[in-house]
Amino acid sequence: MAKQQKQTSMAEKEQYAVLKYIKEKILKDFPDASLINENNKTVNLKIADSKIRLKQSFDLSGTFPIIYTDDIDNVLHVNEYIETLHNIHEGTEGNENLYTSLKTGSILINGASTDLIFILKNVTKGFLEVTGKKYEVSAVVEVNPENALLQLKLGEYEFDVLVENDQFLVILTPDYDENTPTSIQKEINNDALNIQLEVTAIHKSV
C-alpha cells in the first residue's frame, strides 16, 4: 500500500511539473519574490508587497495543463513579465515532456490568456493611434480566456468593442447605445475593421 501511495505521489508531481517550473522561474526572476505556501496543485507567492496565486488544472480532455494566475495588483503586467510567460516553453527543449506541456498548455492571468493580453494591447494601441481622431480607452471588462469587452470613447460618444481571439483571426465587434449617430457608428466601424485586419496580421500570420 505504501509503495502504491509513493507511485501515486510521484505521478502527481510529474503531472504538475508545469506549475512547479513556473513557480521556480518566477522565484528566480524576481529578487523580491518569496514562497508563502504550496501544494501539488496550488502555489501562493509574494512579490514585494503583492500576492500572486497560481493554480494548475487541465482542459476537458485532461491532457493540456492550464495555469490560472490571480494577480490582483497586476505585478506581472507592471514588470512586463507577460511575454516571458507567453514564451515559457523556451529554454526547456532538453526536457521533452516539460517542453511539450508548457508549449501546448495555457496560462491565464486574471482570466485572460497571454495571447488575448497581447491582442488587447495591440487593439488598444490601434485605436489610440488612429490619425486625426482622439479615441479614449476607459476600461477592459468582462474578461474571458479568449475574449474581452473594451469600453471606449470618441468625443462625447461612448461605445463598447468586443474583442475575440478566434482560431484564425481577431474579431472586433463595436456596440453602441441608441444615442450614437449613424455617421459616428460608421466611422468607428471602419476604424475597428482596419484595426482588426492589422491585429489579425500580427497575431495570426502563418
Side-chain angles (χ1 to χ4, degrees):
M1 184 69 175
K3 185 176 180 181
Q4 185 180 358
Q5 287 179 338
K6 187 176 181 181
Q7 288 175 340
T8 302
S9 176
M10 288 179 67
E12 272 201 354
K13 285 181 180 179
E14 289 177 6
Q15 192 177 24
Y16 291 91
V18 165
L19 178 63
K20 180 184 176 184
Y21 178 80
I22 294 173
K23 172 202 73 175
E24 291 176 349
K25 183 153 184 62
I26 290 174
L27 289 172
K28 178 184 175 184
D29 291 346
F30 288 87
D32 52 355
S34 59
L35 176 66
I36 300 173
N37 55 55
E38 67 178 326
N39 56 43
N40 280 348
K41 301 178 182 179
T42 306
V43 170
N44 289 296
L45 300 172
K46 189 175 183 181
I47 299 178
D49 295 323
S50 301
K51 294 179 180 179
I52 292 178
R53 184 172 186 262
L54 308 171
K55 182 178 180 181
Q56 181 172 333
S57 185
F58 293 88
D59 70 333
L60 294 176
S61 71
T63 304
F64 303 109
I66 303 171
I67 300 294
Y68 295 92
T69 308
D70 294 325
D71 178 17
I72 296 173
D73 294 331
N74 288 317
V75 176
L76 301 175
H77 283 275
V78 170
N79 288 277
E80 298 183 351
Y81 201 69
I82 306 301
E83 187 170 356
T84 299
L85 293 175
H86 186 64
N87 300 313
I88 194 69
H89 58 284
E90 293 181 357
T92 65
E93 290 83 356
N95 184 333
E96 186 178 348
N97 289 338
L98 178 61
Y99 177 83
T100 301
S101 294
L102 290 168
K103 190 169 177 60
T104 58
S106 303
I107 299 177
L108 307 183
I109 301 172
N110 297 333
S113 70
T114 54
D115 278 336
L116 181 63
I117 291 170
F118 280 115
I119 287 169
L120 289 174
K121 183 178 179 180
N122 284 318
V123 168
T124 299
K125 182 182 177 185
F127 275 106
L128 295 177
E129 292 182 351
V130 172
T131 304
K133 295 175 191 171
K134 191 174 180 181
Y135 282 101
E136 297 176 32
V137 180
S138 307
V140 181
V141 296
E142 296 181 23
V143 176
N144 293 297
E146 300 303 343
N147 62 74
L149 197 66
L150 286 180
Q151 294 180 334
L152 299 99
K153 191 175 180 182
L154 178 62
E156 63 184 282
Y157 303 106
E158 297 180 349
F159 63 98
D160 297 333
V161 174
L162 177 63
V163 181
E164 299 176 84
N165 180 24
D166 193 54
Q167 184 177 358
F168 300 110
L169 71 159
V170 175
I171 303 170
L172 304 189
T173 308
D175 185 45
Y176 313 93
D177 64 36
E178 58 186 15
N179 298 319
T180 306
T182 303
S183 59
I184 297 296
Q185 291 186 30
K186 185 177 179 181
E187 229 180 292
I188 294 171
N189 285 343
N190 287 337
D191 290 337
L193 180 58
N194 288 331
I195 294 166
Q196 173 178 306
L197 294 172
E198 290 170 5
V199 177
T200 294
I202 294 170
H203 292 276
K204 305 296 180 179
S205 58
V206 178

